[in-house]
Amino acid sequence: MPEKMGEVIDALRSAGSVAPLRALLDSLVTRHALAWGPAIVHAEQPEEAAADAPPVQVNWSEATLEVPLAGRFLAPLTAVMRHVASVTLHTVWDAADYRTPGQGGEFYRAMSDFVTSRALRFGLSLPRTAHCRVGFATSSAVLADRGQVLPLIAQVQVFATHLDELGRALLHSPYQLSPLTSPLDAGEVEVLQGLLAGRSTADLGLALRMSQPAVRKRATSAAEKLGCVGAHQAAARALHMGWLAA
């Protein structure tokens, strides 16, 4: 059972089939008491992957897998999973609304996908295996309960986002910012740090003595500076780039 982010990286690097990926995901779900259900990993050919692809994709290139870990900053697995387990959606969800772009914010695509697929899932590309579609055998009762399933949709997306951002940070791709210089100001770091720790906008407003709109403004500013679709992706990117305390 992995206890460090390096062990997760090693497991992804060594995965030559779907079995070790399934075992890795099951161990994380069990260890952190997530209600996703057992992992279902299906290897796909490129033409299959293109059809009905999950909106959230994790892409690790051959170059990413070859990056040495010695001397690199690796966020603790506990910080990643704390963020994953705490994220939720405080909203009244009308499935029709989330078919309209812009209504669902950062989680719009994942929520829209759930409406049609009725599954928690993401795509995972590792060069040493076929493209994989990762899903979970979530209880039908949970899937039918709006209050229970909303947080799970967000959790799975945030988990996949962390995997993707970790790969990008390891590679330092051209579209990433310099790992040595953070573009975030102190206020933006405070907000992202709070999100990473599982604090809600209301909690952060009280702690920082700010209105909730002011907190959201800082979060939006951070996401824009980092080229992210929302504050949770920004928190993941900043964490793996070493700009947030873990």
Side-chain angles (χ1 to χ4, degrees):
M1 188 175 291
E3 296 183 0
K4 299 178 180 179
M5 212 62 209
E7 293 175 56
V8 175
I9 296 169
D10 288 341
L12 291 175
R13 286 176 161 175
S14 61
S17 66
V18 300
L21 293 176
R22 187 186 305 115
L24 168 66
L25 293 166
D26 283 341
S27 67
L28 290 172
V29 167
T30 300
R31 182 182 183 89
H32 298 280
L34 300 170
W36 304 353
I40 303 170
V41 184
H42 174 60
E44 300 177 314
Q45 296 304 314
E47 59 273 14
E48 290 181 281
D52 188 33
V56 182
Q57 299 287 329
V58 179
N59 295 294
W60 279 41
S61 68
E62 189 71 44
T64 306
L65 296 180
E66 293 172 353
V67 171
L69 298 184
R72 287 185 174 272
F73 169 79
L74 293 178
L77 179 59
T78 51
V80 171
M81 298 310 295
R82 182 174 59 241
H83 184 203
V84 170
S86 64
V87 68
T88 187
L89 294 169
H90 300 288
T91 184
V92 176
W93 179 30
D94 184 315
D97 288 344
Y98 284 97
R99 292 180 186 276
T100 306
Q103 293 296 315
E106 183 169 5
F107 298 104
Y108 161 69
R109 293 182 64 197
M111 295 177 77
S112 295
D113 179 67
F114 178 80
V115 170
T116 56
S117 69
R118 304 301 297 174
L120 305 174
R121 60 181 193 158
F122 63 90
L124 175 61
S125 292
L126 297 171
R128 294 174 189 167
T129 64
H131 178 88
C132 297
R133 184 172 303 196
V134 178
F136 299 89
T138 312
S139 159
S140 57
V142 170
L143 293 178
D145 186 318
R146 185 178 305 182
Q148 292 188 70
V149 79
L150 269 174
L152 305 189
I153 296 169
Q155 289 170 9
V156 170
Q157 175 171 327
V158 169
F159 176 72
T161 298
H162 271 286
L163 290 184
D164 196 46
E165 292 299 333
L166 172 61
R168 292 180 178 185
L170 287 175
L171 190 58
H172 301 317
S173 301
Y175 48 81
Q176 292 257 221
L177 301 166
S178 166
L180 302 178
T181 305
S182 169
L184 303 172
D185 64 33
E188 292 159 349
V189 167
E190 279 185 316
V191 169
L192 295 187
Q193 198 76 63
L195 289 176
L196 194 67
R199 305 185 75 174
S200 67
T201 301
D203 290 340
L204 285 171
L206 289 173
L208 301 175
R209 298 183 179 181
M210 298 171 60
S211 67
Q212 291 186 47
V215 172
R216 285 192 287 269
K217 184 176 180 180
R218 283 189 180 181
T220 299
S221 175
E224 290 174 348
K225 285 183 179 180
L226 298 184
C228 297
V229 297
H232 289 287
Q233 184 189 9
R237 179 164 295 185
L239 173 69
H240 295 295
M241 294 298 282
W243 297 332
L244 297 182

